[in-house]
Amino acid sequence: MSTPLIELHAVTRRYENGPPALRDVSLTVREGEAVAVLGPSGSGKSTLLNLVAGLDRPDEGTVTVAGTRVDGLGEAGAARYRRTKVGMVFQFFNLLDDLTVLENVVLPARLAGMRRAAARRRAHELLEHLGIARHSAAHPARLSGGERQRVAVARALMNRPPLLLADEPTGALDSASGADVADLLMELNGEGQTVVVVTHDLELARRCTSRTVRLVDGRVAMDEVTVR
Amino acid sequence: MSGLLSLVRSGVTRRRVQSAVIGLATTMSVTAALLGGSLLVVSSAPFEDAFSAQSGAHLSAEFTATAQDVAATASAASAVSASVGPFPTASTAVRANGIDLPPVTVVGRADPAGPVDRLTLVAGEWADGPGEIVLAASFPMTPTLGHRITLSGLPGAPSVKVVGIARSVTRTAEAWVPPATITAPQGHQMLYRLTAPLEVESALSAVTALVPSGTVAGSRSWLTAKQEAVRESALFVPFLVAFGVLGLVMSVLVVGNVVAGAVGSGVRRIGVLKALGCTPSQVVWTYVGQALIPASFGVTVGLITGNLLAIPVLGQTEEVYDTTLTAPLWVNAAVGFGALTVVTLTAWVSALRAGRLRTVDALAVGRPGGTRGRFAIRWFSALPVPIALGLARPFARPARTFGMAASVVFGTATVTFAVGLGMSLGVIQEARDYNTSDVTVGAEGPPHLSQLDPNTVTSTLAAHPDTDRYFGLARTEMTVPGMAGFAQIYAYTGDAGWAGHPMIAGRWYSSPGEAVVPTAFLTATSSRIGDTVTLQHKGKAFSIQIVGELFDTRHDGLAAYVDAATFPDLPPDTFFIDTKPNTNIQSYVDSLNNTLTSTTARPTDPGQTSDTIVVIGALTALLTLMLVAVSGLGVLNTVLLDTRDRVRDLGIHKSLGMTPKQVIALVVSSVAAVGLVAGALGVPLGTTLHAQILPAMGQAAGTNLPTTAFTVYSPALLAALVISGTTIATLSALPPTTQTAHTPTSTALRTE
């Protein structure tokens, strides 16, 4: 049995109005797993992702990722944590349109202090690996949705994070591009990358993950191993 | 940190307008600050440097005694450490290119070198042959090498060739010729270096004791020359400081606006950067860097511009003292470093919000926003929809509106200040030309040389059918107990009230014994209007009561204007005549000259525009243009941000049937309303600045200013200036507005 990478213990997160987004959630994700977090709107999926990414803090409970207590980090500490431990992929890509594809991918490594030449080498490897090396000098606006999401994945993997978080990674893509991204995530997981995907898309969950966690009203309603 | 450089670089190139506005604002403030700072630092230095380099004369004296008597003063007085002279002198009328010039003092000097007052040849060579002359840089016409001029006041009216141009640190003459040229000297000049340079008065007394009584015709202290030198430069300082402060405030506003605007419109980007691992301080420094790059460019351009503009400003002093003056290096460094520090601090404070933004909130931007400002639409609901939406817009983004309004306030204040300053300088220039007469009879040289017979002149003038009115002027010098130096006395025969003497306070004299004096006289005698001052002349004491203060900077303002009956023994040496309308002045002058044999008539010298006023006017125009451009770019930046943020909203409006013209009306009405309010606030700020800076400039020049210099703002002008705020705002808003109005609706609707 591999070691736990993510450990949520009795986590509760409340916002000003309305019921808690997460209630007393405990969850463990081990290294090498591919986990899909499913649930209807308002079920707490994005809150769970934000807590794991260090973008938000729980009101109660603890969040530990790769041995780091994320819930106690300040802004600067959380930033350093994200640089090294987490790669994030967003629904709307969130690429910086004024930078080229290569510059976008290189950015997290440079922020982490990697030398320019080494960062560019690593970025080229990733772009090559993901099949988009030919676009390295282009700006994101010139790429298709699927290509943009591949760039976002490349950027997320730049610092070799132990954990890849994806928030509705196919939500803004057509079905062909969505399937392409799902295959990519599956391939990455096959290479040992731990992946957590928050999605509405059951097909994506079925296709690229081996475990499904279903949230309903902020609680874990189901947690089961699936067969890909 | 290096990872941020690509972000900074892309931010600068992506936001060209914002970068340009920061660059221009910094350029403007650095230019003004460098000029003001340099003048403050070097204003007193050049005279002392030049005086030391040229061994300037601490005391220059003019004698009517014989050359032998004058030469005896050279070393007999213990107060004198070195001297040159005696040089023969003559005051002579000059005719050049068929034009009669005012009389000048010509000195016969064989050698420009010597232990005192070494003359520097600016061009050409020294006059060492017969028929040659060297002119001073201050000669009443622009000196041109090779030209011939006639010294019409000298025996035989010799024609001489200009072979050189020279400078004297204490302006000991306006022209130099070989001594043999002056065959009938009217006096002799001696130039002295003193063992105790500050004790000029006692040295003059020692020298005076060595020559026959009453033969010291005039003297000049180096301290007077120094005071004049500092005065020229000091005049620039107040208005340059005003522009420097305006530039600094504008820079702070512009940098604050641009950075805060960039943060406000780049929240999602900030969220992404933080999600990728940027720390809050790294995000803040990204924005500071985006401001620092154009600011560094602006500082560089500003330092270059400031140094270039310093050339004509400091050149006025250079011209006199033959010293190469430049803005000191340390002032350059201090201004540059100071500007970058201000930009850094302003940008850092404005970007702090970017650091504080919670990543999760920043990433959520783009979801449905607030309803701020919607209440205002109801206020304007009776107006056409685009206008109502436009007028309500400033309430939706109050911080952004405040930033734009501040740009316009300071832009309008600058225009108001500059327009007022320009008009005041015009008034002052007119006031300097105090003599508004058409024709002058008599010499402007030393009064004792005048051959004028007052009775003949007055009867000739009265008999001439084209004479409208005239008055006579008698001049002499009198001492005032307790005041250093002497006062120039102007005693008028007849009504001189029409000559255009610009009054500052009190009234023109109405009877003998009353006097009107310049500000400097009041200062020097520690007196005020209503006081009685005693004057001494040839051993006799005269009391005058001061009834008015007038604007006059000649003779350093040490003068008094009185009725001729105050000094009955003083005959007029000059007459000023106003001719009847449509009189041919030259024919009138010729007609008088045919009748008057002992003196000459000439058209009154129109007076020269002050170089200082010209330079101040040009600098004001340049700095104002730069500030208005900064203000306009500030508005353009705000509108650009606003329309970019709202391009989807505007797309929705267009999809609902709003025409491009209506879109323009919507944006322009929001901007014009802010411009109008800001203009109304900026105008009083500008007039207040004008009311503060103008007296300060006057004080630097050693004088109060005539009331007319302050009352330059008419109601119509004020209204036009208020509207200038709207004009600046509207014109600056038009380019981005027009572009937005013509963005295809489908494109606008797709914009996230």
Side-chain angles (χ1 to χ4, degrees):
Chain A
M1 178 69 72
S2 55
T3 52
L5 184 66
I6 304 173
E7 287 182 292
L8 273 72
H9 179 68
V11 168
T12 296
R13 179 69 176 110
R14 297 184 190 87
Y15 296 111
E16 284 177 14
N17 300 314
L22 286 180
R23 304 169 195 239
D24 196 27
V25 169
S26 293
L27 184 70
T28 300
V29 176
R30 296 183 178 280
E31 282 179 356
E33 276 193 291
V35 180
V37 181
L38 296 170
S41 291
S43 60
K45 304 188 298 294
S46 293
T47 301
L48 179 72
L49 188 91
N50 288 341
L51 292 174
V52 174
L55 298 174
D56 200 0
R57 289 188 196 184
D59 294 306
E60 293 166 26
T62 60
V63 179
T64 307
V65 177
T68 302
R69 273 287 296 274
V70 182
D71 54 277
L73 295 174
E75 277 285 317
R80 282 189 287 274
Y81 155 74
R82 283 192 290 275
R83 272 183 214 162
T84 52
K85 301 287 170 49
V86 182
M88 290 190 74
V89 178
F90 302 92
Q91 179 179 1
F92 292 107
F93 327 125
N94 280 339
L95 298 174
L96 302 176
D97 288 337
D98 49 322
L99 302 184
T100 63
V101 164
L102 182 65
E103 287 169 335
N104 264 284
V105 175
V106 159
L107 186 59
R110 298 289 284 148
L111 288 172
M114 191 186 290
R115 285 182 170 278
R116 183 182 167 83
R120 290 173 73 90
R121 262 200 312 277
R122 165 77 177 149
H124 278 299
E125 280 171 20
L126 277 168
L127 291 170
E128 194 72 47
H129 184 61
L130 298 178
I132 45 173
R134 66 186 181 281
H135 297 304
S136 59
H139 282 83
R142 307 195 65 157
L143 307 185
S144 70
E147 287 168 336
R148 283 191 226 186
Q149 200 59 296
R150 279 179 173 263
V151 175
V153 170
R155 185 177 69 180
L157 296 175
M158 188 65 196
N159 288 338
R160 295 187 173 86
L163 175 62
L164 180 64
L165 295 174
D167 185 4
E168 300 283 8
T170 59
L173 303 177
D174 58 50
S175 54
S177 299
D180 185 40
V181 168
D183 288 345
L184 174 62
L185 293 176
M186 187 170 69
E187 188 184 323
L188 290 170
N189 180 241
E191 293 166 4
Q193 177 71 52
T194 309
V195 178
V196 175
V197 182
V198 167
T199 184
H200 282 99
D201 186 348
L202 289 173
E203 176 58 22
L204 173 68
R206 187 195 61 74
R207 191 163 178 157
C208 71
T209 63
S210 53
R211 179 179 165 195
T212 300
V213 175
R214 181 176 291 276
L215 293 179
V216 177
D217 294 336
R219 293 179 192 279
V220 177
M222 188 189 81
D223 185 351
E224 64 180 11
V225 175
T226 54
V227 179
R228 284 198 284 234
Chain B
M1 197 67 188
S2 59
L4 302 178
L5 290 181
S6 58
L7 292 172
V8 173
R9 193 186 61 236
S10 71
V12 171
T13 51
R14 188 163 47 102
R15 299 177 177 277
R16 290 191 192 89
V17 172
Q18 289 85 345
S19 300
V21 75
I22 289 177
L24 194 62
T26 320
T27 299
M28 191 272 148
S29 54
V30 165
T31 300
L34 181 68
L35 276 173
S38 301
L39 280 170
L40 272 174
V41 171
V42 305
S43 60
S44 61
F47 177 86
E48 284 164 5
D49 291 347
F51 193 83
S52 170
Q54 296 181 32
S55 291
H58 290 125
L59 171 66
S60 25
E62 178 89 13
F63 301 89
T64 53
T66 63
Q68 288 78 7
D69 287 339
V70 175
T73 66
S75 56
S78 60
V80 174
S81 62
S83 66
V84 291
F87 302 128
T89 67
S91 177
T92 173
V94 177
R95 191 172 177 84
N97 300 328
I99 301 167
D100 288 324
L101 299 173
V104 297
T105 300
V106 179
V107 169
R109 185 165 173 174
D111 188 355
V116 184
D117 189 37
R118 282 192 291 275
L119 305 176
T120 307
L121 269 173
V122 179
E125 58 187 30
W126 189 247
D128 47 14
E132 293 182 342
I133 191 168
V134 170
L135 303 183
S138 57
F139 194 75
M141 63 172 243
T142 307
T144 309
L145 293 181
H147 275 203
R148 297 197 78 82
I149 61 174
T150 304
L151 304 177
S152 45
L154 297 189
S159 170
V160 290
K161 182 182 174 187
V162 179
V163 296
I165 300 162
R167 287 178 179 143
S168 160
V169 67
T170 42
R171 297 189 190 187
T172 50
E174 282 149 321
W176 295 271
V177 292
T181 305
I182 303 178
T183 53
Q186 295 161 356
H188 289 90
Q189 182 189 67
M190 278 294 287
L191 308 175
Y192 307 94
R193 293 281 289 182
L194 305 181
T195 48
L198 294 177
E199 294 173 16
V200 180
E201 287 298 316
S202 61
L204 179 60
S205 301
V207 166
T208 304
L210 293 172
V211 292
S213 174
T215 58
V216 177
S219 65
R220 180 174 165 87
S221 160
W222 72 290
L223 295 171
T224 309
K226 182 183 175 185
Q227 191 182 26
E228 287 169 7
V230 175
R231 200 169 276 176
E232 284 281 310
S233 315
L235 190 59
F236 286 87
V237 172
F239 92 97
L240 283 175
V241 167
F243 272 104
V245 170
L246 276 173
L248 188 70
V249 172
M250 283 294 273
S251 296
V252 169
L253 274 173
V254 160
V255 172
N257 263 350
V258 166
V259 174
V263 170
S265 63
V267 171
R268 179 186 279 274
R269 180 189 172 86
I270 291 165
V272 173
L273 290 176
K274 288 188 167 183
L276 293 177
C278 257
T279 63
S281 65
Q282 281 178 320
V283 173
V284 170
W285 280 106
T286 302
Y287 284 94
V288 173
Q290 286 178 42
L292 268 179
I293 287 178
S296 302
F297 183 74
V299 165
T300 307
V301 175
L303 290 179
I304 292 170
T305 312
N307 279 290
L308 288 177
L309 287 176
I311 293 171
V313 175
L314 297 177
Q316 291 203 322
T317 314
E318 280 184 351
E319 194 176 287
V320 181
Y321 301 110
D322 189 33
T323 300
T324 303
L325 298 175
T326 51
L329 198 59
W330 71 266
V331 175
N332 275 270
V335 168
F337 181 75
L340 289 178
T341 305
V342 168
V343 169
T344 304
L345 282 176
T346 309
W348 182 73
V349 169
S350 306
L352 276 180
R353 181 181 161 231
R356 285 199 301 264
L357 272 174
R358 291 178 69 236
T359 313
V360 68
D361 293 336
L363 287 170
V365 162
R367 295 169 191 171
T371 58
R372 236 176 1 183
R374 289 189 184 169
F375 62 93
I377 296 176
R378 272 178 253 130
W379 297 350
F380 308 109
S381 57
L383 297 170
V385 171
I387 307 291
L389 290 173
L391 292 177
R393 182 65 193 164
F395 299 94
R397 301 294 295 264
R400 192 171 279 180
T401 302
F402 175 80
M404 183 172 76
S407 287
V408 179
V409 164
F410 282 94
T412 312
T414 306
V415 172
T416 305
F417 170 60
V419 167
L421 188 60
M423 294 178 77
S424 298
L425 290 177
V427 170
I428 291 166
Q429 178 60 42
E430 277 180 26
R432 288 177 80 250
D433 302 335
Y434 70 101
N435 184 357
T436 59
S437 67
D438 296 324
V439 176
T440 304
V441 173
E444 286 186 358
H448 67 274
L449 298 176
S450 175
Q451 303 295 312
L452 181 147
D453 174 12
N455 293 329
T456 308
V457 173
T458 51
S459 60
T460 304
L461 294 177
H464 200 294
D466 288 333
T467 302
D468 187 14
R469 51 190 175 176
Y470 63 90
F471 61 86
L473 168 65
R475 291 168 296 165
T476 190
E477 294 161 355
M478 295 191 182
T479 55
V480 183
M483 187 186 86
F486 55 81
Q488 184 79 29
I489 304 299
Y490 299 99
Y492 289 119
T493 306
D495 176 19
W498 56 266
H501 297 95
M503 296 297 292
I504 295 171
R507 60 175 173 81
W508 188 246
Y509 64 78
S510 59
S511 61
E514 290 184 345
V516 180
V517 298
T519 310
F521 185 94
L522 292 173
T523 308
T525 58
S526 302
S527 56
R528 61 181 72 180
I529 292 173
D531 287 355
T532 297
V533 175
T534 300
L535 303 172
Q536 289 184 335
H537 183 57
K538 293 183 178 174
K540 291 168 71 175
F542 303 87
S543 289
I544 55 168
Q545 187 189 19
I546 299 169
V547 296
E549 179 185 358
L550 90 171
F551 177 78
D552 184 11
T553 54
R554 294 168 303 157
H555 303 288
D556 295 336
L558 299 178
Y561 293 75
V562 297
D563 188 296
T566 307
F567 305 107
D569 297 337
L570 209 56
D573 55 74
T574 314
F575 281 83
F576 298 95
I577 304 109
D578 211 9
T579 58
K580 288 182 176 168
N582 303 321
T583 299
N584 183 312
I585 301 296
Q586 193 56 51
S587 301
Y588 181 85
V589 167
D590 292 343
S591 163
L592 288 184
N593 282 334
N594 287 336
T595 311
L596 299 170
T597 52
S598 62
T599 188
T600 54
R602 64 180 181 281
T604 299
D605 183 2
Q608 293 178 329
T609 303
S610 157
D611 286 350
T612 306
I613 288 180
V614 170
V615 174
I616 289 176
L619 275 177
T620 303
L622 179 70
L623 295 173
T624 303
L625 270 179
M626 290 171 81
L627 264 181
V628 168
V630 169
S631 170
L633 282 173
V635 175
L636 186 139
N637 167 54
T638 306
V639 175
L640 205 60
L641 282 176
D642 207 41
T643 49
R644 273 184 188 160
D645 287 357
R646 300 175 62 209
V647 70
R648 193 165 181 277
D649 287 355
L650 294 172
I652 292 170
H653 284 128
K654 288 172 78 174
S655 73
L656 296 174
M658 193 175 270
T659 65
K661 279 184 182 173
Q662 286 175 315
V663 172
I664 292 174
L666 187 156
V667 180
V668 166
S669 59
S670 69
V671 171
V674 174
L676 195 63
V677 173
L681 293 172
V683 167
L685 189 62
T687 55
T688 305
L689 200 58
H690 177 263
Q692 298 297 318
I693 296 302
L694 201 59
M697 292 175 74
Q699 277 174 11
T703 178
N704 291 326
L705 297 173
T707 319
T708 47
F710 292 93
T711 54
V712 292
Y713 294 108
S714 66
L717 177 61
L718 289 173
L721 289 168
V722 169
I723 290 169
S724 75
T726 302
T727 309
I728 292 172
T730 306
L731 289 179
S732 310
L734 273 179
T737 306
T738 308
Q739 189 187 20
T740 305
H742 292 95
T743 302
T745 309
S746 55
T747 306
L749 284 172
R750 277 202 304 272
T751 304
E752 182 66 28

